[in-house]
Amino acid sequence: MVKLMTEQDMLELNTVTNVDEDAQEGKYLTFSLGKEAYGIEIRNVTEIIGIQHVTKLPDTPPFVKGVINLRGKVIPVLDVRLRFDLKERKYDDRTCIIVVNIRNMSVGLIVDTVSEVLDVPFKNIEAPPKIKNCSGNRYILGLGKVGSQVMIILDSHKLLFGDEVEQIADAIV
Amino acid sequence: MPDAEQQELLLAFVEEGNELLDETEPLLIELESRANESGEIDYEILNMIFRLFHSLKGGSSFLDLLTVQGVTHEAETLLDLFRKCSREIHRETIDLLTRTCDFLRQLLGNIQSHFTDEGFDDEAEKIIIALKAQIAAISGEGDSGQEATPMATDSKRRKTVRGDGEKAGIPTPDALTQNDVPETFHFAITPEIVKQFVAESEDLLSSAEESFLRLDKMPDDMEHIDEAFRALHSFKGNAGFLGYEDLEKLSHQAETILDKIRTQELESSKEIFSLLLNVLDCLRTGISQVAGGKEIVLPAAKTAIAAMHSVLKAISPSAQSPVDKQLVAEQSKEKHGQQKMTSGTMETDETGAAEATSEPIALPGLKSSGAQQTGAERHSIRVDVEKLGALLELVGELVIAEAMVAQNPDLRNVKTSLDNFEKASLHLNKITRDLQDISTSIRMIPLSGTFRRMIRLVRDLAQKTGKKVDLIITGENTEVDKTVIEQIADPLVHLIRNAIDHGLSTPEKRKTFGKSETGQLVLGAKHVGGEVWISIIDDGQGLSREMILRNAVARDLVKGSGAELTNDEVWRLVFEPGFSTAEQVTDVSGRGVGLDVVKRNIENIRGKIDIVSKPGKGTEVILRIPLTLAIIDGMIIRVGSSRYIIPIISIVETLRPNFQEITVTMDGHEILNVRGNLCPVVRLHEFYNLEPSSTELTEGIVILVENAGKRFGLFVDELVGQQQVVIKGLSEFVGNIKAISGCTIMGDGRVCLIVDIAALADLFFNGYQTEAALPEPLEEKM
């Protein structure tokens, strides 16, 4: 129960703190891994680029694929599939890198395809159901209902930094 | 808390103050050693010190820093006493003044963090009392035994200054290393001082001019009168110090006029200001003559002075008379003055033109104020370091972008001739390289500041340890990157401490060895290839192999007896954390911290340390530092499909091993016999977990690298080429990566990682195992 509260709190926190700054409020960039649709808050996204040569980094977790050259800046890229412990898939010409900027750090997220930007009103977002032993849940900010479809809204902070954020959140609670 | 503007002023003052103190300390010591040698005070140095304290005082009073002001004022008074009567200068005085410098530094530090110099009343009082006591003692002496009148010494001094000023063109190589010929003042007016004077004067005159021009429009603006007065006053002071009498006289007159206006004795008017502007022009001519290394010839000065005189005369009798009358008198006199002045201008112009034909360099000054800057140009500006950093980064990116365009793979598909493109691209390439060279050189500053700080250190240490030390500084004008300067100050302090504390012996001991009583310490810098070598050489007892080994074994830094280690490896042990051979922990050194700091700092800037030591003869420590931190020469190598860069500085040689040269131990370690030297081999593909083209040593290339005196081989598939690369940091997101120091972007736009040889060696020799693949020992190392 505590955890559920935390996430809801955080969701509210995010929405409350960004009311002023954002016309992008409630807008999500959707992408897909396999047949599932995911969304991340558009305000964290700086650009979307096609897949390009990735230089492998030794000695990093498998989901850190390496670094790329983004117009003279070297940024790390993560494979979101591997982050979620999904099966790896060969990159093709629909594979995209979503560049997000969080805590002043640019990081690329490798996804199967990028679809569109959707408006999801706050009332259409539900907290994820609490199911036992489901570790993937920690990346989920909420489930957004778009028509008859359901989109998994991701917490981009946790996507990048994993449990670290959770620990901080726990510490606050 | 003061407002932002005030804070900025304070910070600027702190920066300037520290610079001034940096200059002062070596001068004090120079003054002392001169006095010891010849028994006389070197007035040039004394004057310079006086001037430095004076500047500090001026700044502090402007900013209401009362403590600083109080202390500097007393110090100045003390120095002034020495200027006025030729007293002998004692060690206590120098000690006191150096202590004063320390205290001032402390104050500056406080200002920097808290924007105030309050809260040091006790210390300040102590220092001031001590200074006052000295002043009292000296002036007491001076009264009884004063010989030559101050005036006499003064004018004598002037003469020597002028004499020296004239031959200032002759370079005085390194005043600090010349301790012979004490009777000539070769430390007197160096070309640098003249240069500084010229630059400063240009500023002062410009600001005075600006004020005059404003005043020309609104003659009653007191603020501008004050400003002009201040500028002229400072100029007068400087000119006086350097013995430029004509300039001093002229500015003095102008100052007097301004003062009269200030006190309302003289009505300000357009005429007066154009007269003053004329004076400024005159001064400018003088300055450009100084800058050109010529005698000051100011034919216009006399007329200008006469004109000013008449203006002043006009008011003195009528000063108390009714206002109306005064005004009338003044106006008529002013007209007179103006006439004279115009004739003055004519004259200058004429002579200017006449002389310009014979001496075109010195005199273009008079014709237009724009062209006159030839000699008296500003030589430097202060720039935010961040801006420089940003510039450098952009240039780095430009270099990469240029390569990406010129070597673009698309060009290969072009069917038509690329001649024109190649010409243009070559041109672009040249400009880019030039731009890169210049922008890196911007961040380069000479080592002199850092080196000079050591003079003080050496003196203090010599006193503390009771040893006699001659410090010789060479190559202080060698320029290195700013970051290097910051990183090198601490190591130098530690190395010098060690050299004096452990290296040099006491005078008695030295005598028994048949050496001169005074030990020699050479601090030098020079360019060697793409590196700067900074060496600290002492002629002391040298490092003792036995003692180092005994200590290293006792501290578990060496396994076994260490007898098999080479001298070089033994010397390196002193840089291990916790190492110390000093039997006793002294005030100066011996706690075993210090030299490992040296190693760390030097490695931070990708430098290396070489030690040469001969028992009984001395020790030489050479810090080899790359010229710039942003760009390295790299060897691009390939392992499987990955490319890595190895800094060329670490590479000894590359070779393709023969079958017979390889020995494999039971652990699976491969040892390569390179002409008798046995080197272990690191397989880069195993280290980085890559898929190599070949796993046979004989089919690839072994790159022999050296780190901290240890040689080992790196097995790779192929050498791709050699290239200058711009270093970029990896994202914070991925943190520190095993033995990778950074990355760069290659011509084809791909990212290439740079191997950190030092870290790799550390992992390989101390923490890395081929098979067991232990979980990251790196983290505890960092």
Side-chain angles (χ1 to χ4, degrees):
Chain A
M1 208 49 211
V2 172
K3 195 173 169 193
L4 192 73
M5 283 300 292
T6 318
E7 282 177 1
Q8 242 169 6
D9 280 352
M10 286 194 53
L11 186 64
E12 271 164 26
L13 202 83
N14 278 341
T15 40
V16 169
T17 47
N18 293 305
V19 164
D20 295 336
E21 82 179 54
D22 254 332
Q24 302 163 337
E25 179 67 23
K27 284 194 195 317
Y28 298 87
L29 176 71
T30 59
F31 62 86
S32 64
L33 302 176
K35 63 180 204 39
E36 233 42 79
Y38 296 82
I40 57 173
E41 285 169 282
I42 196 94
R43 66 191 161 95
N44 293 326
V45 177
T46 43
E47 65 186 297
I48 301 158
I49 52 176
I51 188 76
Q52 48 173 287
H53 178 82
V54 179
T55 301
K56 272 200 275 180
L57 289 177
D59 191 41
T60 45
F63 67 86
V64 177
K65 290 305 279 188
V67 285
I68 59 165
N69 165 21
L70 179 68
R71 290 187 306 277
K73 265 177 135 181
V74 177
I75 66 165
V77 287
L78 316 185
D79 189 315
V80 182
R81 273 179 172 270
L82 296 181
R83 182 60 160 161
F84 297 161
D85 292 324
L86 302 173
K87 231 177 90 194
E88 195 168 1
R89 175 175 168 276
K90 221 170 175 292
Y91 300 151
D92 55 29
D93 50 1
R94 300 197 61 192
T95 308
C96 283
I97 300 177
I98 303 172
V99 182
V100 295
N101 190 307
I102 287 168
R103 296 196 207 164
N104 260 335
M105 256 181 246
S106 285
V107 176
L109 304 172
I110 303 176
V111 298
D112 288 2
T113 52
V114 169
S115 337
E116 58 189 321
V117 176
L118 283 179
D119 264 316
V120 185
F122 184 61
K123 62 175 173 28
N124 285 0
I125 300 176
E126 273 181 28
K130 182 148 169 57
I131 305 163
K132 217 179 156 193
N133 293 335
C134 123
S135 64
N137 245 3
R138 60 195 159 140
Y139 303 119
I140 303 179
L141 202 59
L143 296 174
K145 289 174 283 186
V146 185
S148 61
Q149 305 265 313
V150 172
M151 177 177 74
I152 302 168
I153 298 175
L154 294 173
D155 181 330
S156 18
H157 283 259
K158 284 190 190 166
L159 196 60
L160 261 53
F161 305 105
D163 290 337
E164 190 193 335
V165 173
E166 214 157 71
Q167 281 156 11
I168 294 168
D170 282 347
I172 293 168
V173 173
Chain B
M1 186 65 69
D3 59 38
E5 197 177 321
Q6 181 81 359
Q7 281 184 9
E8 206 167 292
L9 280 175
L10 285 168
L11 288 179
F13 173 71
V14 169
E15 199 176 314
E16 202 185 313
N18 277 322
E19 273 168 26
L20 288 172
L21 289 174
D22 283 349
E23 265 178 74
T24 310
E25 281 178 349
L27 286 176
L28 278 171
I29 290 153
E30 174 77 9
L31 182 67
E32 186 189 27
S33 65
R34 285 281 150 110
N36 283 344
E37 273 167 40
S38 60
E40 277 178 33
I41 297 174
D42 189 324
Y43 284 103
E44 304 320 319
I45 299 178
L46 187 65
N47 274 338
M48 274 156 70
I49 300 171
F50 181 82
R51 209 177 131 204
L52 291 166
F53 272 109
H54 187 73
S55 311
L56 206 53
K57 183 175 102 171
S60 58
S61 67
F62 174 66
L63 290 166
D64 277 336
L65 299 166
L66 296 178
T67 322
V68 178
Q69 193 193 350
V71 172
T72 45
H73 176 72
E74 289 306 327
E76 196 187 295
T77 317
L78 179 61
L79 287 163
D80 198 36
L81 274 177
F82 286 106
R83 287 169 71 207
K84 290 207 176 108
C85 53
S86 51
R87 295 282 96 213
E88 261 181 47
I89 200 149
H90 294 293
R91 221 180 77 188
E92 297 85 72
T93 316
I94 302 285
D95 273 340
L96 182 60
L97 287 171
T98 47
R99 270 215 323 272
T100 312
C101 286
D102 286 342
F103 178 59
L104 287 170
R105 260 184 219 282
Q106 197 184 343
L107 287 175
L108 288 175
N110 197 57
I111 294 167
Q112 189 165 26
S113 44
H114 301 106
F115 299 108
T116 172
D117 65 345
E118 281 160 26
F120 289 92
D121 294 346
D122 290 351
E123 291 96 322
E125 203 170 317
K126 259 185 227 156
I127 293 259
I128 289 177
I129 285 173
L131 286 166
K132 279 206 165 124
Q134 286 259 346
I135 293 167
I138 289 160
S139 55
E141 272 178 68
D143 282 343
S144 55
Q146 212 185 59
E147 24 42 90
T149 62
M151 272 316 286
T153 22
D154 220 50
S155 66
K156 206 169 78 195
R157 194 177 74 232
R158 280 277 156 71
K159 242 175 221 160
T160 50
V161 176
R162 278 182 69 75
D164 263 346
E166 278 154 27
K167 50 175 192 187
I170 305 161
T172 51
D174 191 348
L176 285 162
T177 59
Q178 301 190 351
N179 10 23
D180 47 344
V181 218
E183 53 276 296
T184 56
F185 296 103
H186 44 72
F187 201 76
I189 300 180
T190 62
E192 276 89 294
I193 295 175
V194 174
K195 240 196 230 163
Q196 206 182 348
F197 167 67
V198 167
E200 223 173 284
S201 305
E202 188 56 43
D203 279 356
L204 290 170
L205 293 179
S206 303
S207 89
E209 185 179 57
E210 206 183 301
S211 309
F212 286 153
L213 291 174
R214 290 257 168 90
L215 286 163
D216 206 31
K217 281 183 198 124
M218 8 175 218
D220 290 316
D221 192 337
M222 276 302 152
E223 211 180 292
H224 283 111
I225 291 185
D226 280 349
E227 218 169 279
F229 180 81
R230 272 200 301 269
L232 275 176
H233 183 72
S234 313
F235 175 79
K236 184 183 85 174
N238 290 348
F241 269 122
L242 293 177
Y244 297 122
E245 279 168 1
D246 290 352
L247 300 182
E248 192 187 4
K249 249 189 240 157
L250 258 178
S251 44
H252 175 73
Q253 281 291 344
E255 197 191 315
T256 320
I257 290 190
L258 282 173
D259 194 42
K260 297 280 183 216
I261 297 175
R262 239 176 19 165
T263 52
Q264 315 254 313
E265 280 173 65
L266 186 66
E267 186 82 4
S268 59
S269 68
K270 286 197 172 198
E271 283 77 7
I272 289 186
F273 291 125
S274 38
L275 169 62
L276 288 172
L277 280 172
N278 228 41
V279 173
L280 281 188
D281 283 346
C282 221
L283 293 174
R284 283 234 171 95
T285 320
I287 292 295
S288 56
Q289 282 166 352
V290 170
K294 301 217 162 69
E295 276 275 20
I296 300 173
V297 187
L298 292 173
K302 272 192 190 144
T303 38
I305 287 180
M308 289 193 284
H309 252 304
S310 56
V311 170
L312 286 171
K313 252 194 206 145
I315 51 158
S316 42
S318 58
Q320 273 91 26
S321 61
V323 185
D324 286 350
K325 206 178 154 192
Q326 186 194 342
L327 264 177
V328 175
E330 230 169 63
Q331 268 161 9
S332 73
K333 287 295 179 191
E334 265 159 21
K335 267 185 196 136
H336 178 63
Q338 196 195 3
Q339 271 164 13
K340 273 220 164 155
M341 181 203 71
T342 17
S343 70
T345 342
M346 297 283 288
E347 205 178 311
T348 17
D349 269 344
E350 269 166 25
T351 46
E355 280 181 50
T357 47
S358 55
E359 288 180 358
I361 316 151
L363 285 163
L366 276 179
K367 291 184 182 165
S368 75
S369 58
Q372 88 188 69
Q373 315 261 335
T374 31
E377 230 169 284
R378 267 202 93 136
H379 290 285
S380 61
I381 48 167
R382 277 172 201 266
V383 182
D384 197 337
V385 181
E386 269 175 38
K387 276 189 199 164
L388 277 187
L391 173 72
L392 227 59
E393 205 164 285
L394 278 175
V395 171
E397 268 166 39
L398 179 68
V399 172
I400 294 165
E402 188 266 335
M404 281 169 78
V405 172
Q407 296 158 27
N408 201 299
D410 287 0
L411 290 173
R412 270 181 240 135
N413 306 330
V414 178
K415 302 270 170 8
T416 52
S417 151
L418 283 171
D419 280 359
N420 283 323
F421 173 82
E422 258 151 29
K423 239 185 242 164
S425 120
L426 263 179
H427 188 53
L428 176 65
N429 180 279
K430 188 182 171 298
I431 294 173
T432 324
R433 300 286 150 194
D434 287 354
L435 183 63
Q436 191 182 355
D437 282 352
I438 289 179
S439 50
T440 23
S441 75
I442 294 176
R443 276 178 59 93
M444 303 287 237
I445 37 181
L447 279 162
S448 51
T450 318
F451 275 14
R452 270 153 193 268
R453 232 171 291 154
M454 302 303 150
I455 299 175
R456 166 83 188 277
L457 178 78
V458 169
R459 176 183 176 272
D460 287 359
L461 287 175
Q463 257 178 29
K464 244 183 223 167
T465 54
K467 293 171 183 172
K468 288 187 181 167
V469 187
D470 249 353
L471 177 68
I472 298 172
I473 292 180
T474 60
E476 59 172 347
N477 289 328
T478 312
E479 291 188 334
V480 292
D481 193 279
K482 189 175 153 33
T483 328
V484 171
I485 298 254
E486 282 158 11
Q487 289 283 330
I488 205 159
D490 271 358
L492 277 183
V493 169
H494 287 300
L495 288 171
I496 286 178
R497 268 192 200 164
N498 262 278
I500 293 179
D501 202 33
H502 306 310
L504 298 173
S505 346
T506 53
E508 299 80 52
K509 238 185 176 176
R510 285 182 66 90
K511 253 189 182 166
T512 60
F513 291 135
K515 293 182 187 170
S516 67
E517 279 188 23
T518 314
Q520 227 182 39
L521 191 65
V522 181
L523 181 58
K526 62 180 171 189
H527 285 290
V528 180
E531 297 175 14
V532 175
W533 288 18
I534 298 173
S535 49
I536 297 107
I537 309 168
D538 67 62
D539 66 344
Q541 50 205 354
L543 297 172
S544 152
R545 189 185 156 96
E546 293 78 50
M547 195 144 73
I548 293 173
L549 274 180
R550 200 166 60 232
N551 277 278
V553 171
R555 279 161 228 262
D556 261 349
L557 296 172
V558 179
K559 292 184 190 99
S561 70
E564 75 286 354
L565 296 176
T566 64
N567 271 350
D568 218 36
E569 284 168 325
V570 173
W571 305 153
R572 262 165 224 296
L573 289 173
V574 302
F575 292 110
E576 291 300 318
F579 182 87
S580 171
T581 55
E583 248 96 277
Q584 279 177 327
V585 173
T586 68
D587 194 17
V588 181
S589 58
R591 282 194 195 81
V593 283
L595 286 186
D596 65 309
V597 172
V598 173
K599 187 176 151 199
R600 226 182 17 241
N601 276 21
I602 299 299
E603 276 174 2
N604 272 350
I605 48 177
R606 295 201 312 276
K608 297 179 145 202
I609 307 173
D610 281 354
I611 306 177
V612 183
S613 182
K614 290 190 190 116
K617 289 270 169 65
T619 309
E620 176 171 8
V621 181
I622 303 174
L623 309 176
R624 291 165 54 192
I625 293 152
L627 264 186
T628 140
L629 301 178
I631 295 165
I632 58 163
D633 273 315
M635 175 70 79
I636 307 160
I637 54 109
R638 184 180 62 84
V639 182
S641 58
S642 305
R643 283 180 302 175
Y644 285 84
I645 287 172
I646 294 174
I648 296 248
I649 188 175
S650 309
I651 298 180
V652 183
E653 62 173 295
T654 57
L655 51 109
R656 173 165 291 209
N658 278 328
F659 183 69
Q660 309 93 285
E661 291 166 350
I662 306 163
T663 313
V664 185
T665 65
M666 304 76 88
D667 302 330
H669 286 303
E670 285 150 318
I671 315 269
L672 196 62
N673 180 358
V674 186
R675 295 183 299 277
N677 290 322
L678 300 182
C679 308
V681 175
V682 181
R683 285 169 172 256
L684 215 58
H685 63 90
E686 280 177 12
F687 192 82
Y688 285 136
N689 226 340
L690 303 163
E691 220 22 80
S693 308
S694 164
T695 52
E696 285 301 318
L697 283 191
T698 50
E699 281 170 26
I701 296 276
V702 171
I703 302 173
L704 215 56
V705 292
E706 187 182 85
N707 177 66
K710 280 180 187 159
R711 284 187 181 189
F712 59 97
L714 285 178
F715 174 63
V716 302
D717 282 339
E718 187 189 10
L719 300 179
V720 179
Q722 192 178 327
Q723 190 181 328
Q724 281 212 328
V725 297
V726 182
I727 301 175
K728 289 178 167 283
L730 281 168
S731 164
E732 265 177 80
F733 182 78
V734 290
N736 280 323
I737 304 247
K738 174 168 154 184
I740 293 292
S741 59
C743 62
T744 190
I745 296 172
M746 307 294 291
D748 60 5
R750 293 189 181 186
V751 182
C752 194
L753 302 177
I754 302 168
V755 179
D756 184 345
I757 296 292
L760 192 145
D762 247 14
L763 283 172
F764 178 63
F765 289 110
N766 308 327
Y768 158 79
Q769 284 167 3
T770 328
E771 257 84 48
L774 287 174
E776 216 29 81
L778 186 67
E779 250 148 57
E780 56 196 68
K781 283 217 155 297
M782 296 313 275

